[in-house]
Amino acid sequence: MEMAFAKCYNLVNIYKKGGAFMQEIYGQKTDRQLAAKQRIIAVAAGREKADLVLKNAKYLNVFSNDFLCGDIAVANGLIAGVGKYDGKTEIDISGKLVLPGFIDAHIHLESSMVTPAEFAKAVVAHGTTTVITDPHEITNVMGIDGVEYMIQASQNLPIDVHFMMPSCVPATEIDESGAELDCKDIDLYLDNNKKVLGLAEMMNYVGVINGDKNVLSKIVTSQAHHKKIDGHAPELSGNDLNAYIAAGVYSDHECSTFENALEKLRKGQFIMIREGTAAHNLKALMPLLTQQYYSRCMFATDDKHPSDLLYGGHIDYIVKQALKNGADPIVALKTATHHAARYFLLNNKGAIASGYLADIVVVDNLEDFNVETVFKCGKLVFDGEVKDFSAPTVDEKLAEKCFDTFHLDSVTPSSFKVDGKLGLIGLVGGELLTRNLGTADKIDVENDILKIACIERHKGTNHIGVGYVKGYSLKSGAVATSVAHDSHNIISVGCNDGDIAVAVNAIKDSKGGIAVVENGKIKALLELPIAGLMSDEPLTTVNEKLENAKLSAYELGADKSIDPFMTLSFLSLPVIPSLRITTKGVFDAENWKML
């Protein structure tokens, strides 16, 4: 009894000491916060010099909707004030235009085919300081380990990376992904990680409309945390759209026509105007960029390939195109900055004003719109070149898992032999949508009918779905990739079974990537060994290999009006109408059935 009492007494003392220690740590943190707050106030009031002052700035005021002039004072990573200020460092930016950092409201970082650090190097040079990413590509391959990898690989970059938890892993019940994510997994991250802002695009709109409990549980979980739920419902309309929105879906980025976007906006959704590598919706949605509608709009890229990032731009490119198409500058710029910050409740971003993060972009003018200088939290991160930064460290065991995601046997030409009629998928240039062209029973290169196959690669099931596709235009050879939305099995299109088999095996042996094959020989290969989705090489190297692969595909006859790999990667996504290829065969997304 005495021994038990002694143990209890000791535990109480340890608890008291531990509590005192925690109180001391908390007190130190509070003291630092108070000191920082006192300094910001002193700088804002003009009693102390700012760390940095951008002198004679012409800046966008997102609150009064005009351009104003003044000195922008920065201290402790925040904008202390705009007015007349002195600083320890002063930069005269007379004649330039100062804007809040650009925000991409919806992107899959995996689409860049490089690590988040390499992605950050590319986009910070274009004025992007914040992105909201949905890691559902890697999560469909690796589950929670994929989410954790992306979070760890995105720390302490010159841009802020916020996350939305993938809602559809797998995307549908017919997909064969490498993992599953349920509402308990989502709840854990919404509860414990401040970088996670909500539930990512709810692609299973059919499940939502029909009241599927598993689907709705994810929405209910997110709403319990007062988080956003993003949408993905191409062409959804009428009462079905009402049901989708009533479930709690706040936004949509799958609008390819102004009419559909306007219907969604009128029914309460925010519209993410998408202009990326695969989908180009800005031109069709330009009528939204008017005073009547623009307050409910944001810009997003969704998917961006390396060449676009290196030479086209990012959100700055969308702004340029909007301005060229007649958008009011303030409308375009607020859509690129302030609106996404408000939507995602990033309350200290998206404005040049006191108390906001000093995420600042300096451009030359509205006509040329060249990004000249970028500050992240008041620190210079780009001035014609990206400043050096340390790449994040990822847990070693977690990194090893990322390089071991292929579990399938080698294939042979007979693996793709089929008899009878199969669904014929019709490509639509410049769109993710496809057409239902009925059926075909053989490859007919002269009439542009090719074989398409989807090969399960996660769990060694050896499932292979086969169909036909028209509009890809290969005249010989085959193309294959492990970037196949959203389950990321291997997808291949080709003129004969032999070359399809060689291309698929090349992907398997490389632990992921893109392969172009002709007459049994590999013409081009881009290795993507991180979950079969990303490379650990520099963006410039990846782009060189990717462009070489594109050139090889075009030499084989692939339609030059399309990106041969981005187009192929979306043909396995069964939540976009009309026909898709899965590991079980051709799927009719409009009638939700296998053909």
Side-chain angles (χ1 to χ4, degrees), residues 286-299:
M286 277 298 298
L288 291 179
L289 295 179
T290 62
Q291 289 294 332
Q292 186 174 0
Y293 305 123
Y294 89 107
S295 66
R296 304 284 291 183
C297 298
M298 301 162 269
F299 287 143

Side-chain angles (χ1 to χ4, degrees), residues 329-545:
I330 291 172
V331 167
L333 292 170
K334 286 184 66 174
T335 305
T337 58
H338 188 61
H339 292 174
R342 299 288 72 76
Y343 172 76
F344 287 106
L345 302 181
L346 302 173
N347 295 325
N348 61 351
K349 293 186 178 186
I352 305 293
S354 298
Y356 281 71
L357 286 180
D359 293 355
I360 298 170
V361 178
V362 181
V363 301
D364 51 0
N365 54 66
L366 289 173
E367 289 73 35
D368 301 305
F369 206 75
N370 295 310
V371 173
E372 296 188 348
T373 312
V374 182
F375 297 90
K376 182 73 186 77
C377 293
K379 179 182 177 182
L380 179 66
V381 291
F382 176 77
D383 62 352
E385 64 178 13
V386 178
K387 300 305 178 183
D388 289 337
F389 63 93
S390 298
T393 300
V394 176
D395 177 79
E396 187 175 345
K397 290 184 177 179
L398 183 60
E400 288 176 359
K401 290 182 180 179
C402 292
F403 285 86
D404 183 24
T405 62
F406 280 77
H407 308 99
L408 74 158
D409 297 330
S410 296
V411 297
T412 66
S414 63
S415 302
F416 307 99
K417 182 178 175 59
V418 291
D419 295 315
K421 294 182 178 181
L422 299 173
L424 178 58
I425 303 168
L427 300 185
V428 179
E431 295 290 344
L432 300 184
L433 303 173
T434 65
R435 297 193 301 270
N436 184 340
L437 298 183
T439 61
D441 59 4
K442 64 180 180 179
I443 294 172
D444 184 352
V445 176
E446 291 299 317
N447 289 305
D448 191 20
I449 297 176
L450 308 176
K451 184 171 285 186
I452 187 167
C454 188
I455 302 92
E456 197 280 325
R457 60 103 162 176
H458 302 292
K459 299 177 180 178
T461 65
N462 294 318
H463 292 163
I464 298 177
V466 178
Y468 294 97
V469 63
K470 184 178 179 65
Y472 199 83
S473 301
L474 281 183
K475 297 296 185 285
S476 65
V479 173
T481 178
S482 57
V483 181
H485 300 291
D486 279 320
S487 295
H488 298 291
N489 292 297
I490 301 174
I491 188 171
S492 182
V493 61
C495 300
N496 63 81
D497 294 342
D499 282 344
I500 291 174
V502 173
V504 169
N505 288 332
I507 299 298
K508 170 186 176 294
D509 295 340
S510 301
K511 298 183 179 180
I514 291 170
V516 181
V517 170
E518 185 181 28
N519 297 326
K521 294 183 179 180
I522 298 172
K523 290 175 61 71
L525 180 66
L526 167 60
E527 303 91 340
L528 300 173
I530 302 176
L533 302 171
M534 295 174 285
S535 171
D536 52 357
E537 294 187 297
L539 181 64
T540 51
T541 302
V542 173
N543 182 62
E544 183 179 346
K545 290 183 177 181

Side-chain angles (χ1 to χ4, degrees), residues 128-158:
T128 299
T129 55
T130 298
V131 299
I132 293 87
T133 184
D134 170 10
H136 77 198
E137 318 296 356
I138 194 170
T139 308
N140 267 283
V141 176
M142 298 179 60
I144 283 295
D145 284 338
V147 176
E148 191 58 36
Y149 169 81
M150 294 301 286
I151 290 176
Q152 290 186 24
S154 300
Q155 298 299 311
N156 303 315
L157 298 177

Side-chain angles (χ1 to χ4, degrees), residues 269-332:
Q269 285 193 317
F270 289 82
I271 305 302
M272 296 179 180
I273 300 175
R274 177 178 58 184
E275 186 73 12
T277 297
H280 305 277
N281 304 135
L282 175 64
K283 188 174 181 180
L285 302 185
M286 277 298 298
L288 291 179
L289 295 179
T290 62
Q291 289 294 332
Q292 186 174 0
Y293 305 123
Y294 89 107
S295 66
R296 304 284 291 183
C297 298
M298 301 162 269
F299 287 143
T301 60
D302 200 4
D303 294 280
K304 270 286 189 178
H305 265 192
S307 60
D308 275 358
L309 291 173
L310 285 170
Y311 307 116
H314 191 220
I315 299 301
D316 63 326
Y317 171 81
I318 305 179
V319 174
K320 286 181 184 180
Q321 295 305 307
L323 294 176
K324 287 181 180 178
N325 281 282
D328 178 273
I330 291 172
V331 167

Side-chain angles (χ1 to χ4, degrees), residues 102-262:
F102 303 137
I103 301 175
D104 190 335
H106 175 74
I107 187 172
H108 307 286
L109 292 188
E110 303 96 315
S111 69
S112 68
M113 300 185 183
V114 290
T115 61
E118 283 294 310
F119 171 85
K121 288 180 186 177
V123 300
V124 75
H126 291 287
T128 299
T129 55
T130 298
V131 299
I132 293 87
T133 184
D134 170 10
H136 77 198
E137 318 296 356
I138 194 170
T139 308
N140 267 283
V141 176
M142 298 179 60
I144 283 295
D145 284 338
V147 176
E148 191 58 36
Y149 169 81
M150 294 301 286
I151 290 176
Q152 290 186 24
S154 300
Q155 298 299 311
N156 303 315
L157 298 177
I159 64 171
D160 285 333
V161 179
H162 297 280
F163 289 81
M164 301 292 279
M165 284 300 289
S167 65
C168 299
V169 179
T172 69
E173 70 276 4
I174 68 164
D175 279 286
E176 292 190 282
S177 294
E180 294 184 9
L181 210 66
D182 61 24
C183 63
K184 292 180 181 178
D185 298 317
I186 292 168
D187 181 67
L188 181 66
Y189 273 85
L190 291 176
D191 195 39
N192 295 307
N193 196 306
K194 292 182 180 179
K195 286 287 186 180
V196 178
L197 304 179
L199 188 67
E201 52 179 316
M202 178 48 74
M203 296 181 293
N204 191 355
Y205 56 86
V206 175
V208 173
I209 294 167
N210 291 315
D212 183 283
K213 289 184 179 180
N214 289 330
V215 174
L216 296 184
S217 66
K218 298 174 183 179
I219 293 177
V220 170
T221 295
S222 302
Q223 288 180 320
H225 290 280
H226 305 288
K227 300 290 188 178
K228 297 295 185 185
I229 296 100
D230 287 341
H232 171 120
E235 298 187 329
L236 197 64
S237 183
N239 285 347
D240 283 346
L241 177 59
N242 289 338
Y244 187 62
I245 296 173
V249 182
Y250 299 100
S251 69
D252 197 284
H253 64 272
E254 288 286 342
C255 299
S256 58
T257 67
F258 171 65
E259 292 75 19
N260 188 235
L262 183 58

